[in-house]
Amino acid sequence: MIHIRRHTPLPAVLILYPVTMLQLFVGDIYSLLNFMSFLRWLFIGVVVLGLIYLRYTKPDLPRPFKVPLFIPLVFCFTCFCMVFLSLYSDPFNTGIGFAMSLTGIPAYYIFIYFSRPKWLQKALDSFNRTLQIILEVVPADQ
């Protein structure tokens, strides 16, 4: 959801702010930076690896621009080097960050994958619509 005037993901910011504050009160800023930088480079590397995979398995897909294969390979290698350096330098905090990201798997199955009862889906739709009006947000363009 994007704010209609500011073009920012306001609901995501409102959820991430308290989570970040909680992490800062529990630990320190360096642990938070280590958690997030590890996850960021991990997910960026996986996305670039997926793009390389799609380039070979579905070569006919439209692409806005194409770069030589050397560039994404070097970038992907660099991303995974950053991940392994984080694992080597601070395995405990990196493991905590990875465990935090794994909490998204049960959340996906509970809130997205499994079908919900109609009464719950109706209540969630109403809640979602109300929050969209209050926060002045609309779905992002596809």
Side-chain angles (χ1 to χ4, degrees):
M1 296 289 174
I2 304 295
H3 193 271
I4 57 177
R5 287 188 304 277
R6 295 183 185 101
H7 304 291
T8 57
L10 186 62
V13 171
L14 291 177
I15 289 177
L16 285 177
Y17 178 73
V19 171
T20 304
M21 289 295 112
L22 178 69
Q23 287 177 343
L24 282 175
F25 287 124
V26 170
D28 60 355
I29 188 75
Y30 299 109
S31 298
L32 178 66
L33 288 174
N34 196 20
F35 294 156
M36 296 308 125
S37 67
F38 163 75
L39 292 174
R40 178 178 180 204
W41 288 116
L42 176 66
F43 290 135
I44 288 174
V46 168
V47 166
V48 172
L49 196 62
L51 291 173
I52 294 169
Y53 174 77
L54 283 176
R55 188 164 176 182
Y56 281 106
T57 58
K58 300 187 182 205
D60 298 332
L61 283 178
R63 290 171 172 76
F65 60 91
K66 235 177 167 177
V67 295
L69 191 59
F70 175 74
I71 294 172
L73 284 173
V74 168
F75 184 76
C76 192
F77 177 75
T78 306
C79 288
F80 288 124
C81 281
M82 300 280 284
V83 168
F84 291 124
L85 284 174
S86 287
L87 280 169
Y88 179 75
S89 67
D90 193 3
F92 180 73
N93 284 329
T94 304
I96 291 173
F98 189 67
M100 288 169 48
S101 72
L102 290 178
T103 61
I105 294 171
Y108 169 77
Y109 280 104
I110 291 170
F111 295 111
I112 304 296
Y113 185 75
F114 294 131
S115 61
R116 298 177 207 115
K118 288 189 180 198
W119 63 269
L120 180 60
Q121 185 61 44
K122 187 176 178 182
L124 289 174
D125 288 344
S126 175
F127 179 71
N128 191 15
R129 200 172 314 108
T130 304
L131 277 182
Q132 286 178 11
I133 293 168
I134 291 170
L135 296 176
E136 297 179 342
V137 294
V138 294
D141 290 337
Q142 298 291 333

